[in-house]
Each structure stands twice: as structure tokens, then as C-alpha cells.
Amino acid sequence: MLLKFFTQTRLFSAGSSDPYNPLPVVSTVNSPLEGSPPIDAGSSIRKPISLWPGMYHSPVTNALWEARSSIFERLSNVPNDYALPQSELITKTPSQSRTTILYKFSNDYVLREQYRNPWNEIRMGKLLEDLDALAGTISYKHCFNSEGTTRPLLLVTASVDKMVLKKPIRVDTDVKIAGAVTWVGRSSMEIQLEVTQSTEGTSDPSDMVALVANFTFVARDSKTGKSAFVNKISPETEREKVLLEEAEERNQMRKQKRGQQKKEIEEGEVDRLKELLAEGRIFCDMPALADRDSILIRDTCLQNSLICQPQQRNIHGRIFGGFLMRRAFELAFATSYAFAGSAPIFLEVDHVDFLRPVDVGNFLRLKSCVLYTELENLEQPLINVEVVAHVTRPECRSSEVSNKFYFTFTIRSEAVQNGSRVRNVVPATEEEARRVIERMDAEELVV
């Protein structure tokens, strides 16, 4: 078969000095917070399209996939039919997978415009998308066999731990994301990423951290689809040893939480369901007497649909997990905005499990609602939004859940002072009440 290669160039490229050599992924033995030459988020080079996952790119996924392409080029020299599965595992250090991306917002106008939202803040959906792309690159670096004689592993996002925004991220100041593999199981690994941005008047590195994210990736044999072993990890510094212990604890907690959550929901469920449904029944049966400070869950719902396009695929031909996270976040933001009547402030995204892959051509439906609110602090009311992604197959008359996302927002204090009001949300059906109980119990387990 004759393969024809095409090239492309981004017109807004900040460009490297040699546009035909791949931009290397940065790997240092330094702490992610220390200065090292990172990948420039605004840079781009010419690469054969055959080596690129899809044509859907943010500036960062552009730079990351170009950096990964040197690995793909080496692997492409060995036909997959003849390549053998990896038989011997090697031990790598976190520093060998450590990668840094720098957003030069302070002097790159074009880049800044792509990440600016209407309120001159960073567009969080795109940042979540970039975090998934960076975690993917780091996982490839850890699993990559430099000899290039074994077939590549299929690495997919399995889950994302709860992410809490520690401070607002501005779009006029440089941002850095750095991360590395911190823990390895038999066929899975955890990648920790730190988003940092300098703050005026302080030199304390801890004050620079805006967000910490932990991604879990699993490995599959690219030919058989079965679980595949991944390289071992050996921490070098005290900090890396602490991160390994913390990741091991999180892994054990995830296993325990699955069983505990089911048990919590079963015990005392009847009384809790009755209490939650009491106000909802008044709305349904006697709407004129319902509490004006409350609203039914179903009246907060929004949804959108899309056909998954080839431009949104990852290197395995399936829909890029970061793209799904971005679409879910932006729907959740709109849901919170319409509910509160004021532009919401993002606070956190809860643990996300990727239940099933989404393929090119799938009909994807995203359905959102405000699941419940927390009004103890009226100056900072909390809005908890659920987004459920359904893979719908009209020809098969089937619909399956691929992902569930849970986001927490609040509104600005000046909006509260100007009359914006966050209402109590109540379920009208037993199914809705069960979802509320499940989420509240999950939050308590995390705390």
C-alpha cells in the first residue's frame, strides 16, 4: 500500500528554530515547580497527518501530540503484525516521564485569546482537556520501549480523581502545568499534574499551586485488547516517595469506597427518600402551595447532542477523553448560569470514571441538571451539577452511559448582594432522590 504524507502549518505558530525536527518532551530531575525548559504551548511544527490522532487540537494538544510523534515514528518502523508483546518490564523513575507545558499568556496574545472566557478568566473546559492530553503523553513516556521492537500499548484514561480549584487562574499571567507518573500497579498507573501560576507579593511555591489533578490510565495490548503490564516505578527523591505513598492510599480508598457507598445507600434509605420526596410531591400535586424558594430538579435540566467526528479522535481512533470533559464542563457551566442568573465560578470536579469508550460516529447525548444545592453559607452557595453522557445507537434502539460528571460551582459575592439567588433543588421521583442520596454519600466519603 502506498502511503501519502501531507503536512500542515499553524499560521499563528510561535515556531521552533528548526521547523522540521520534532519538539522534544521535557524530562528533568527537577521538581515540577523548579525552572526547566518546558514545551511552549504556543509552538507548533509541521508533522505528517498520518502521525496525528485527529485534526481537533488546542494549542497544547498540538504541542503534545507533536512531541509524542517521535515515539510513534519509531514504533511505525516495526509492523504491528510482527511486533511482539512486551516480555520484560523495566524500572523507570518519575523524572523520566516528567513533562512541563508553559502557557505564555503574558506575551502571547493569540494563545491568550484561545483560553480567555467572556469574563477575562481562563476557559476551564480547555484546561481540563489539556490536562488529559498531558497525562496521556506522560503515560506514553513511562511505558515506551526505547528499543522499538515490541508493539505499543493501548493506554486509555480510566478515571480522574476529584480536582479542587485552590485559587482563580488568570489569563494575563503565565501558567505552567507539570506532572509525572507517581504510582504504578499491574496494568494501571497514576499521573499527578500540578497547575501553577505566580502570585504577586509571594515567593512561596505552595501559593503558586492553583490545581492538582490525579489521572489513572490503564494499559491494554494493542492487538489482543487484554490487560498489559506496565513498567515499574522507582522514586528517587523524598517528595517522589511521599507521592507514591499517597497514590497507593488513594488506590486503596477507591476500592473501599465502591463497597462502602453501596452499603451507605441501602441503610436508612427509606426515611431519606421520603424526606427528599416530600417537597417534590407538593410541587407535583399542589403547585400553588409549593415553596417559592425551591425548584424541581427536572426544571433545571439542559442537554445537547453531537455526532462524534474523526477530528475528535485520539491516537487509538476513539474520542479523546479530554474533549468529553470539556464538553461536559461547558454544559455544566451553562446549566449553573441559567439556574443562578449569574456567571458561576468553578470550584471543583468530582471523581470521574470512564465507563466505556466513545467511538467515532457515535451519537452522543449530554444531559445535565442541578442535582442539589448547599445553602448553609449564603455568601457562597454551592451548586452541584450532574452531567451524564449517553452513547445512543438509533439503529440498535439502545443507549448506554459512557460517563458521569459532577461539577461544583458558586456565584460571586457581588452577585448575591445584587439580588442573585440560588434556590433549593428538590427531586420529584424516587430515581432522582436516589441519585441525590448517592452523590451526598459520595461527598461524605471523600471528606
Side-chain angles (χ1 to χ4, degrees):
M1 178 183 294
L2 178 64
L3 295 178
K4 189 172 183 180
F5 294 92
F6 298 87
T7 60
Q8 68 167 18
T9 305
R10 269 177 49 222
L11 297 178
F12 55 85
S13 167
S16 82
S17 58
D18 185 352
Y20 294 97
N21 287 330
L23 184 65
V25 175
V26 175
S27 177
T28 73
V29 295
N30 297 329
S31 161
L33 295 179
E34 294 179 11
S36 61
I39 295 174
D40 183 353
S43 68
S44 182
I45 54 179
R46 302 167 74 94
K47 293 306 300 178
I49 287 179
S50 61
L51 298 179
W52 287 34
M55 294 304 297
Y56 178 81
H57 305 297
S58 75
V60 167
T61 53
N62 242 347
L64 287 169
W65 280 325
E66 287 170 352
R68 272 192 230 175
S69 66
S70 61
I71 296 177
F72 303 151
E73 286 172 332
R74 254 186 282 180
L75 294 174
S76 65
N77 294 328
V78 181
N80 200 49
D81 291 340
Y82 297 99
L84 299 173
Q86 185 166 311
S87 57
E88 293 186 10
L89 298 176
I90 61 175
T91 300
K92 290 191 173 185
T93 63
S95 64
Q96 289 177 279
S97 66
R98 184 164 292 129
T99 309
T100 303
I101 287 287
L102 177 63
Y103 299 74
K104 297 180 180 178
F105 290 143
S106 61
N107 57 19
D108 190 333
Y109 171 79
V110 174
L111 182 69
R112 185 165 67 244
E113 282 300 293
Q114 292 184 73
Y115 283 83
R116 184 173 64 87
N117 72 11
W119 299 275
N120 290 315
E121 297 169 350
I122 197 164
R123 192 172 164 189
M124 283 302 304
K126 287 181 73 69
L127 187 63
L128 295 177
E129 183 177 45
D130 292 347
L131 289 171
D132 185 72
L134 177 55
T137 291
I138 291 170
S139 67
Y140 267 87
K141 289 185 68 179
H142 180 80
C143 296
F144 174 54
N145 180 347
S146 59
E147 296 177 358
T149 57
T150 59
R151 56 176 173 255
L153 297 178
L154 192 158
L155 298 167
V156 295
T157 312
S159 65
V160 184
D161 276 1
K162 185 173 185 174
M163 288 186 272
V164 178
L165 189 67
K166 297 183 177 181
K167 67 174 188 175
I169 302 176
R170 305 189 305 278
V171 79
D172 57 353
T173 305
D174 293 351
V175 170
K176 184 164 65 175
I177 309 178
V181 173
T182 55
W183 172 88
V184 170
R186 294 182 61 194
S187 61
S188 61
M189 72 200 88
E190 184 175 292
I191 298 97
Q192 184 172 99
L193 307 174
E194 272 190 355
V195 181
T196 59
Q197 187 175 58
S198 62
T199 303
E200 289 185 21
T202 180
S203 58
D204 187 349
S206 62
D207 291 337
M208 298 169 64
V209 178
L211 184 73
V212 177
N214 295 296
F215 284 73
T216 301
F217 274 67
V218 295
R220 299 284 183 268
D221 187 287
S222 58
K223 188 173 183 180
T224 65
K226 296 181 179 179
S227 295
F229 294 110
V230 297
N231 291 327
K232 301 174 184 178
I233 192 168
S234 176
E236 297 177 299
T237 67
E238 288 302 316
R239 173 62 176 162
E240 289 171 351
K241 292 176 183 177
V242 170
L243 290 176
L244 178 65
E245 293 174 359
E246 291 176 350
E248 179 62 38
E249 290 178 6
R250 280 192 296 272
N251 184 55
Q252 294 301 322
M253 286 179 61
R254 280 193 289 266
K255 292 178 181 178
Q256 295 172 7
K257 189 169 70 171
R258 295 187 189 104
Q260 289 177 349
Q261 190 169 319
K262 291 179 181 178
K263 184 178 179 181
E264 288 281 336
I265 292 173
E266 291 170 0
E267 293 178 357
E269 189 177 68
V270 175
D271 291 339
R272 296 175 70 186
L273 284 173
K274 286 181 179 179
E275 183 180 349
L276 280 172
L277 289 169
E279 184 65 26
R281 291 216 168 91
I282 296 175
F283 267 93
C284 296
D285 300 337
M286 297 170 285
L289 302 179
D291 183 357
R292 297 299 98 188
D293 290 327
S294 298
I295 187 173
L296 292 175
I297 289 177
R298 68 188 183 198
D299 292 332
T300 69
C301 294
L302 292 179
Q303 64 175 299
N304 57 35
S305 304
L306 65 144
I307 303 299
C308 297
Q309 303 294 336
Q311 294 79 12
Q312 297 147 2
R313 72 189 187 277
N314 61 20
I315 61 172
H316 307 300
R318 285 176 165 157
I319 299 305
F320 173 42
F323 171 78
L324 299 175
M325 291 180 67
R326 179 174 70 82
R327 291 299 297 258
F329 174 86
E330 292 181 350
L331 179 59
F333 185 95
T335 303
S336 183
Y337 196 177
F339 171 75
S342 173
I345 300 173
F346 168 72
L347 295 179
E348 64 184 50
V349 53
D350 202 3
H351 181 91
V352 179
D353 286 313
F354 289 78
L355 305 176
R356 54 152 293 147
V358 181
D359 295 317
V360 172
N362 279 169
F363 175 22
L364 190 68
R365 302 182 67 189
L366 297 170
K367 301 180 181 180
S368 69
C369 70
V370 177
L371 198 57
Y372 65 96
T373 56
E374 298 175 59
L375 307 177
E376 289 80 6
N377 181 2
L378 295 179
E379 290 298 314
Q380 192 182 45
L382 302 182
I383 305 167
N384 295 275
V385 180
E386 175 190 66
V387 179
V388 182
H390 298 261
V391 174
T392 305
R393 301 177 186 274
E395 63 275 14
C396 301
R397 300 175 63 191
S398 68
S399 180
E400 296 179 276
V401 174
S402 65
N403 302 86
K404 290 184 179 181
F405 302 90
Y406 298 94
F407 302 93
T408 303
F409 299 89
T410 187
I411 58 175
R412 292 169 173 78
S413 57
E414 56 267 28
V416 175
Q417 294 168 5
N418 291 333
S420 290
R421 183 166 55 101
V422 173
R423 294 204 241 174
N424 182 44
V425 179
V426 295
T429 67
E430 186 173 314
E431 185 270 336
E432 289 176 345
R434 288 180 185 275
R435 281 158 49 201
V436 173
I437 291 173
E438 182 178 333
R439 289 311 310 155
M440 288 182 170
D441 287 348
E443 287 292 322
E444 290 176 2
L445 286 173
V446 170
V447 175

